[in-house]
Amino acid sequence: MTLPFEHRPIAGAGLGLRSPHYADLMAGTGDVPWLEVLADNYAHGEGLPLWQLEGIRERYPVVFHGVGLSLGSADPLDSTYLDTILDLARRFEPAWYSEHLAWTSSGGRHHHELLPLPFMEETVQTLVDRV
């Protein structure tokens, strides 16, 4: 007997959700235990990708992963971005949310890169304060 996804544990190897997978997953033909969703791809607006994610979420458990919080930056956290991610998480109820320990913005500009963190005590304290 297959349990509804609400009762399946998040275990084993999941699949990173990409647009080529949508049709099979929406049809329920994908045999994967869970999906990793790049939250940043769904955080800006409505439309077809969010509608597709809703259909997929009805069939599969999801976890969210993010790249845009810029936890290692000296800039203040972007509260608008954080609110958007929180709204998305409330809507889709992922089992968990993970984020890259990197910096992706500085001086109010987003660089669209996962930039490495300096190996310094100050960096550790910045991450502790943000997390």
Side-chain angles (χ1 to χ4, degrees), residues 7-66:
H7 303 290
R8 283 187 249 155
I10 302 289
L15 176 71
L17 179 62
R18 304 293 184 268
S19 56
H21 307 139
Y22 288 173
D24 287 338
L25 294 170
M26 293 204 40
T29 59
D31 186 20
V32 295
W34 54 272
L35 297 161
E36 179 191 64
V37 174
L38 182 57
D40 303 73
N41 288 346
Y42 300 90
H44 305 288
E46 293 293 323
L48 184 59
L50 278 173
W51 176 82
Q52 290 169 316
L53 183 56
E54 284 178 345
I56 291 166
R57 178 62 179 98
E58 290 174 3
R59 295 167 177 82
Y60 300 93
V62 300
V63 300
F64 278 2
H65 181 68

Side-chain angles (χ1 to χ4, degrees), residues 61-82:
V62 300
V63 300
F64 278 2
H65 181 68
V67 296
L69 275 178
S70 199
L71 292 173
S73 174
D75 286 355
L77 285 175
D78 181 343
S79 61
T80 301
Y81 174 82
L82 189 54

Side-chain angles (χ1 to χ4, degrees), residues 66 69-73 75-78 82 86 97-103 117 122-131:
L69 275 178
S70 199
L71 292 173
S73 174
D75 286 355
L77 285 175
D78 181 343
L82 189 54
L86 287 170
Y97 180 92
S98 63
E99 178 73 31
H100 274 279
L101 289 180
W103 61 280
L117 298 174
E122 182 180 356
T123 304
V124 174
Q125 191 56 55
T126 296
L127 292 170
V128 167
D129 293 344
R130 287 172 176 262
V131 171

